[in-house]
Amino acid sequence: MMCSELTNHFILISGESGAGKTEASKKILQYFAVTCPMTESLQIARDRLLLSNPVLEAFGNAKTLRNDNSSRFGKYMDIQFDYKGIPVGGHIISYLIEKSRVVYQNQGERNFHIFYQLLEGGEEELLAYLGLERDPQLYKYLSQGHCAKESSINDKNDWKTVSSAFSVIDFTEDDLENLFGILASVLHLGNVCFEENHQGCATIPDTHEIKWIAKLLGVHPSILLEALTHRKIEAKTEEVICPLTLELSVYARDAMAKAIYGRTFTWLVNKINSSLVNKDFTKKTVIGLLDIYGFEVFDKNGFEQFCINYCNEKLQQLLIERTLKAEQAEYEMEGIEWEPIQYFNNKIICDLVDERHKGIISILDEECIRPGPATDLSFLEKLEEKVGQHAHFQTRKLAGPKGRKRIGWMEFRLSHYAGEVTYCTKGFLEKNNDLLYRHLKEVLCSSKNRILKECFLVAELENRRRPPTVGTQFKNSLSSLLEILISKEPSYIRCIKPNERKEPSKFDDLLIRHQIKYLGLMEHLRVRRAGFAHRRKYEHFLQRYKSLCPDTWPHWHGPPAEGVERLIQYIGYTPEEYKLGRTKIFIRFPRTLFATEDAFEFSKHQLVARIQATYKACLERRAYVRKRHAAITLEAHWRGALARKLAKRRKWAVWTVRKFIKGFINRNKPLCPDNEEFIVFVRKNYILNLRYHVPKNVLDKSWLRPPGILENVRMTRRLLLQVTRAATGLSWCIFVPPPLARKALAKHFFARLSYEKCRSSQFVLSSQWRLMQQKVVTSELFRGKKEGYAEALNQPFANSRIDEGDINPKVLQLISSEKIQYGVPVIKYDRKGFRARERQFLLTQKAAYVVELAKIKQKIAYSALKGVSTSSLSDGILVIHVSPEDSKQKGDAVLQCEHIFEAITKLVMLVKRGNIVNVVQGSLRFCISPGKEGTIVFDTGPEEQIYKDKNGQLTVGEVEIFKYYFGFKASEFSVYVLS
Ligand SMILES: Nc1ncnc2c1ncn2[C@@H]1O[C@H](COP(=O)(O)OP(=O)(O)OP(=O)(O)O)[C@@H](O)[C@H]1O
C-alpha cells in the first residue's frame, strides 16, 4: 500500500512486557531486509538498520523479572523507502530510558546489558585500560540484583555482535574509546564509597576509583572529589560551597551516574541516526515501527512503571480511537448499516494521568516546584485531595476496608486498562526532578571526553531556567509521538504473553484470557466480523483497479463512485461481498480483495507491456523527429550552400559575360580597363587555337590569322615558344612568326635526313633521305603539271613498296635466268592467282614483287624504253612506251596505279632517266602493236568504267573499274598488257 498509494504507515506493536514486541519488531526489520528489492549501494543502509538494533538493545535493554531482554526505553523507528520500496534510510526516536536502573536493580534484575557484555567480552587490554576487572560482582551497580550471570543471556557472544555492529554504523576508534570510558566511569562511580566524618560530612576515604573516573572522563580528580562531597550554593553575588551529608553525596554520585548514562544513550541514538540518514532528499515514504516498553506490573512499582504504563495507556487509547471508535464512526458517517458494539474506552484513565492542571503528572510537577518541604507523602496527599474522587484512583485512605489491606501507606493504585497497578510514591519527586547538582554539572561540562562534551554543553550552565520535569517531558514527547502516528496509516501487532515463567510452549489460559480481555481483542473481533475487511476511497479503488474494466480504462470521466460501481459489476462482485458508502467502498471478505488483487496483478503485466510499447514508441518517435529535424536542417544548409555556390557562379558568369560584351564593344579602342580582359581572352584563345594550326611541315604555309585586335599586339617570345613547343614537340625550336617557324621545321626535317645505322653496322643513307630524293624527283616531274600532285605531296612514299635498293642481287640473278615471255600477260595477279603463283614458284610475297619489278626493269632497261606517259588529270593511268622497232615487244604497257606519282618517280629513278616522263594534256596515246595505235580518252561521264570501243579506243570513266596496279603490293596492283 505504501508503494502503490505513496502513503506513510506505522506498525504499532503492543503487549505487556515480555510478550514479544521487540522480537516482532526485529522480525519486521528482517522481513524488510529479505523481501524488499535491494541494490548493492543500499545494502549498507539496510545493514545499518539491522545492526542498529543490537547496539540499542545492549544499551537500552536489561533483564527484568518479566523479561530477560526487556526494553527499558521506548523506540520509534522510521524506515524510509524510495519509490521502488527499497529501504534507503531511517530515523530513531527514543523515549525515556529507565536511568534509575543504572544505579539500582531489584532482586533478580540486572543493569543494562552493555555493562555485563563489556566485562565478559572485552579484551584484557581494554579492561586494563579502563581499570576494570572481569567479575561483575566487584561492581556495586551490577551486583544489586544478585543475578549478574543469567543462563539465557550470552554476554560474550552479544559483545561480539555489538562490536561488529559498531564498525558498521560508523563508530570510530575514538568514539568507542570515549564510550567505553564513560561505561567504565559509571562502574567506578558505583564503587565510590563515602564515610561520615565527625562533623557529619561525607568524605571519600579511598580515592582509587576517583582517579580512574577522573582519568576516563578527562577531569581533575580533586575537582571531581569535591563535586561529589560538596554542593555549590549560589547567593545573589557569591557562591558558597558547603559539604554534603553522606546521604546527599550518595544521591549526588547516583545522579551523576544516571545523568552520564542517560545522556550518553541519547548521544548514541543520535550517532546511529546520523549513520542511518539518507543524503538523498527526494521524497520518501516511511513505515514507522513503534516498539515501546510493555505494560508492567511488579510487586513494587515506582515512577518508571508509572511512566511506562501511562505510555501503554496512551497507545491503547490511540488504538481504540483509530480502530474501534473510528471504524464504527466511519460506518455511521458513510451511511453503512451498523449495529454499535460497546467497548471500554480508556480515555478516562489517560485524562487522570495527563489532564492539564488536574492530572497526576501536573500534581506531581506542582509538588516538585512548590516552595517549602515537599515530600513523596505530601504528593500522595495532594493526589488524594485532587483526584481522590476518580473511579480509577485509589489510596489506602480512600479504599474501603477490603482494599485497604493491599495498599501501603505510601502507595496509590490506578485501574489501568490492563489491570490494577499499585505504585509506591517513594522517589517520585526525586525522579521527576532528576536533579543534578550544579557543581557536578560543571565538572562534566569541563570533561575532555568528547562524548560528554557533546552531552553537557556549557550553555546549559548559563541557563538559569528550571528544565521541564521528567514527567512533563515524557508527556510531551508522547503527545508528539501520537501526532506522528496519527498522520500515518496504522497497522497493529498485538503480542500476547503465553506464561509468566518465560517457558516455551506453555499457555496459561487465565493469563491469555486476561490479556485478550484488556487488549479489547474481542471487541475488535466483533467489529471486524460484523464489519468489512477492507475499505477504500472510491478514487483510490478506481485508480488502482480501473484497468480491470474496459469502461474505466484508461480514464473514467464520471464520478468515481459510479466508476467503482461499473467496475465491480464488471468484475462480478456479489451484493454480500461489498457495500458502497458515501465516499468509500467497503469489501466484506478478504478473499474478495485477494481475488481482485490477483486479477490486477495479471492485468498489470499486460498493461506494463502496453505502457512499455507506448513509451518505446514515444522514444523512437522522438528520436525520429529529432533525426528528421536534423536531416532537414542539414539538407537546408546543404541546399543553401549549393544555392549560394550557384548564385556565386551565376554572378561570376554574368559578370564575365558582361565584361566580355563590354570588352567586345570596346575592342577597337586603345587598351583600357574596359577591353583589357577581352583582349587577354582573345589572345589566349588565339594562342590556344594556334597549337592546332601550326604548320604541319615545311611546305605548309598556312598560319592561323590573328584577330584584328591582335594585329598590333606583340606576343611575347616566351609565349610563342611555348605554343610552338606544344605543337611540334620540338623543344629546341625557337619560335618566331610564321616564315621562321617553317624554317625551323625545315631545319628539323633536314636534320632527320641523316645517316642511319643499318643492321650491318654500316651507316647508310636514312630512309628519310631517300624519300627526300624521291620527293625532289617527283616535284621536278609533276609540279604544276598533274592534278593531285599537291595532295600527294604530303603522302610519304612507302618503304614497303619495292624500290631499287631492295632488290637483292641474288634474287635478280635467279630471276634473270628464267625465260620470261613479254607482250603477253606475264603474271596476272588477282588474290587467287597470286596465291597459286606463290605456291608454284615457292617464293615469298616480297620475292614476287621483286620478280615483277625485275621483269619491268629488264623490260624497260633492255627493250628500248621510249618513255612514260600520264595524263595531266588526276587519274592513275600510265602508259609505258616501248620501242616500236623492237620486234620482241608487242606494244605499250597500259597500267593503272593508285600511287602514280610514286610509281613513276621510282620508275624514273630506276632507269635513271628523268626526261622520259611525258605529262599529256587530254587523251593518252599508246601503241598496241607496231603501226597500230590506241587512245585513252578521259571522260567525266556518269559511269564508272573503262571500256574499249571497236576502233580500240579505251575510255576511262571517272573512277576506274579495273584496278591494275603496278609494282607495289600484290593486293594493290596487277599488270595488264593490252594485246
Ligand atoms: N514469537 C516468539 N516465539 C517465541 N519466543 C518469543 C517470541 N517472542 C518473544 N519471545 C521470547 O520472549 C522474550 C521477550 O520478548 P521481547 O523482548 O520481544 O518482549 P517485549 O514485549 O519486547 O518486552 P518488553 O516490553 O519488556 O521489552 C524474548 O527474549 C524471547 O525469548
Side-chain angles (χ1 to χ4, degrees), residues 620-646:
E620 288 301 315
R621 200 173 301 121
R622 220 179 281 167
Y624 161 72
V625 168
R626 224 173 26 240
K627 276 182 197 163
R628 198 177 65 172
H629 184 255
I632 289 170
T633 313
L634 210 68
E635 228 173 81
H637 276 93
W638 178 239
R639 280 198 192 137
L642 284 183
R644 270 192 298 281
K645 204 172 159 190
L646 188 67

Side-chain angles (χ1 to χ4, degrees), residues 661-675:
I661 292 168
K662 209 170 179 183
F664 179 75
I665 293 165
N666 297 309
R667 68 186 182 283
N668 294 325
K669 285 186 184 168
L671 200 66
C672 62
D674 284 345
N675 64 6

Side-chain angles (χ1 to χ4, degrees), residues 15-24 67 69-72 291-294 296:
E16 60 187 65
S17 179
K21 297 183 293 297
T22 310
E23 292 298 320
N67 180 2
N69 183 33
S70 183
S71 308
R72 306 320 296 164
D291 170 26
I292 218 150
Y293 14 52
E296 280 180 355

Side-chain angles (χ1 to χ4, degrees), residues 3-20:
C3 286
S4 62
E5 290 178 9
L6 292 178
T7 47
N8 294 324
H9 290 249
F10 77 88
I11 302 170
L12 172 61
I13 311 168
S14 57
E16 60 187 65
S17 179

